[in-house]
């Protein structure tokens, strides 16, 4: 795994796609190595936003893990190709990695840090 530590801040107005961007970035980082989610901290301004983001990450991973079932959904149509481009992973490899990440998150939910 060759993940470089960094710090990213995303600021923009309401409805501009911040949550989508944060979810995509979280998933992209975690796809590099399934256990890496333990080293990611995502921070939002409210508990409601943090819970929504956690829910979207889990749902995104579920849909990526079964792209045939969710072929018409936005995650598979838009995020999957974007993740393949961002991560350099073949689109055919992303479902298996998404399954691994999802399993690890669900088994180590206390380490799933979105605050």
């Amino acid at each position: 795994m060759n993940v470089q530590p960094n710090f990213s801040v995303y600021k923009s107005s309401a409805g501009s796609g911040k949550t989508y961007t944060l979810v995509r970035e979280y998933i992209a980082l975690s796809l590099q190595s399934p256990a890496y989610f333990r080293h990611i901290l995502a921070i939002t301004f409210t508990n409601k936003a943090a819970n929504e983001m956690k829910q979207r990450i889990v749902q995104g991973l579920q849909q990526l893990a079964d792209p045939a079932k969710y072929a018409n959904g936005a995650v598979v149509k838009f995020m999957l190709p974007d993740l393949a481009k961002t991560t350099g992973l073949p689109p055919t490899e992303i479902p298996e990695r998404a399954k691994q990440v999802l399993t690890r998150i669900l088994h180590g939910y206390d380490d799933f840090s979105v605050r």
Side-chain angles (χ1 to χ4, degrees), residues 9-85:
V9 176
Y10 295 93
K11 296 188 299 184
S12 60
S13 61
S16 61
K18 288 183 302 296
T19 302
Y20 175 87
T21 300
L22 290 170
V23 168
R24 185 194 65 222
E25 291 300 313
Y26 191 101
I27 291 174
L29 287 170
S30 63
L31 288 175
Q32 298 297 317
S33 174
Y36 189 67
F37 82 93
R38 289 185 164 97
H39 303 282
I40 303 170
L41 171 62
I43 301 173
T44 65
F45 286 103
T46 66
N47 288 332
K48 181 179 176 184
N51 289 331
E52 180 183 344
M53 194 167 144
K54 273 186 161 181
Q55 183 178 25
R56 286 198 195 179
I57 291 167
V58 169
Q59 287 173 343
L61 288 166
Q62 287 173 325
Q63 292 176 30
L64 290 167
D66 192 357
K69 181 176 179 180
Y70 298 100
N72 293 323
V75 170
V76 173
K77 281 185 174 180
F78 303 111
M79 191 181 291
L80 178 59
D82 196 16
L83 287 167
K85 182 179 176 183

